[in-house]
Amino acid sequence: MACLSKKKKKHCLQLQPLFSISNFDPLLDHPIIIIIINSLSLHLLHGQSHLFFLLSSWPLSPTLLALLRSNGMIIPIVSICSSNLSNLVPLTVQTFTGTYGINYGRIADNIPSPDQVVTLLRAAKIRNVRIYDADHSVLKAFSGTGFNLVIGLPNGQLQDMSSNADHALNWVKDNVQSFLPGTPIRGIAVGNEVLGGEDYSLWGELLGAAKNIYNATKKLNLHEQIEISTANSFAVFSNSYPPSSCKFKDSVTQYMKPLLEFFSQIGSPFCLNAYPSLAYASDPEHIDLNYALFQPTKGIYDPKFRLHYDNMLDAQIDAAYSALENAGFNKMEVIVTETGWASNGDPNEAGANMTNARTYNYNLRKRLAKRKGTPHRPKNIVKAYIFAVFNEDSKPGASSERNYGLFKADGNISYDIGFHGLNAARSSRLSLKSISADSMATMIVSLCALMLLIF
């Protein structure tokens, strides 16, 4: 039933789908129900030549939506808010779909090509992906895929972007605007773990870079589609145990507070890289391994919050919420932008082994699938990006740094948490080659004509 007014039932139409295109897509997770309206033909949206869609009773798969987007035919979901069709208003694009995402790092010389990675992630039904730069070969590979992609502005470019607004504008033009709408870029991560990091010279550049990148998206009319954020490590906190005691370090606060004020104004979340594995490795004698692995345990009790925690990740997230509250940002959402467990490490890296890596990542998937919040913020559903797709053999540092991948360099799984390797993904994926983009587009145009006749 599609109603143009809640009060006037006579404006409601009973519409039945003529056919289900979702049958062509074996990777469908949640049907997206739509009616397509050609706004140009209706002359309702100031002459914009786009196809709009709204909730109704038509199943359409994410892959088809991506195909249409890549041909410039679809833009964000809109809603009908009254009986007047001229009130159609575009909604902001979602940065994150569901609760599970993954980081696609590429500091390696032996991993699969970006096109193969797309195949791998599609088979795993992972819709949310973060990369640490804006490599054009990756952006091209993700064109027309329907993923939610967050790209990165590397730390090495912060100073330039902070001091030169024109350079920021050109960066957004070259790495974002030129790939839209085909490549589904949903966010820009400005730097990574800058505050609390060892390069103090960047601390004062982060806010300026974030503002200039945001202003560039605004100038290009992309600010409602692209979310600006930055990821923080636990080095920004002075104490995180128990969660209620967590505050930002005094040395960080002078930089963090104006950054949070800016993010609050533009609706950005607080992005947290949270690793129970690192906390455990720092004090294995006093931290219960089961608590870090989501295994049965007595957990901890926070006397100020009066809450019990049965796993460390929830406690780490609530520690971040506590720090935000203490800084005056009670409404800001926390998103976990990195979490994971190394499958191998140096002798002094306690817990870094295959068994623990599998246990953590398997239990993390189950925990995220519950779509629930934390003890302190039960209504804020936990969302997390796993680190990472591959073991990265060229990363410097301890052995663990090169062993966080869910997949090996050859595309096979590192350990079984329910995903399949690249070869299995290729063989199980149903081919869509028999349905060309042109023929699909023709079907959609036909549907638009039908909708025009109905309306």
Side-chain angles (χ1 to χ4, degrees), residues 18 27 32 83 106 119 142 161 187 217 234 240 254 262 264 267 274 293 303 315 333 368 376 413 425:
L18 302 180
L27 304 178
I32 297 178
S83 60
R106 304 186 322 282
T119 298
F142 277 83
M161 298 300 154
T217 64
F234 261 73
S240 60
Q254 62 176 312
F262 173 62
S264 180
L293 293 173
E333 182 184 15
L368 294 175
H376 183 52
I413 57 174

Side-chain angles (χ1 to χ4, degrees), residues 287-335:
I287 295 178
D288 181 4
L289 179 60
N290 287 331
Y291 178 61
L293 293 173
F294 301 96
Q295 296 285 72
T297 178
K298 66 178 182 180
I300 67 164
Y301 180 75
D302 188 317
K304 183 178 179 181
F305 280 166
R306 296 183 180 181
L307 294 171
H308 176 263
Y309 289 87
D310 60 11
N311 72 82
M312 189 184 293
L313 183 64
D314 280 3
Q316 289 183 330
I317 295 170
D318 276 351
Y321 276 122
S322 178
L324 290 170
E325 291 164 8
N326 286 323
F329 299 92
N330 294 14
K331 296 182 179 180
M332 187 169 286
E333 182 184 15
V334 174
I335 301 290

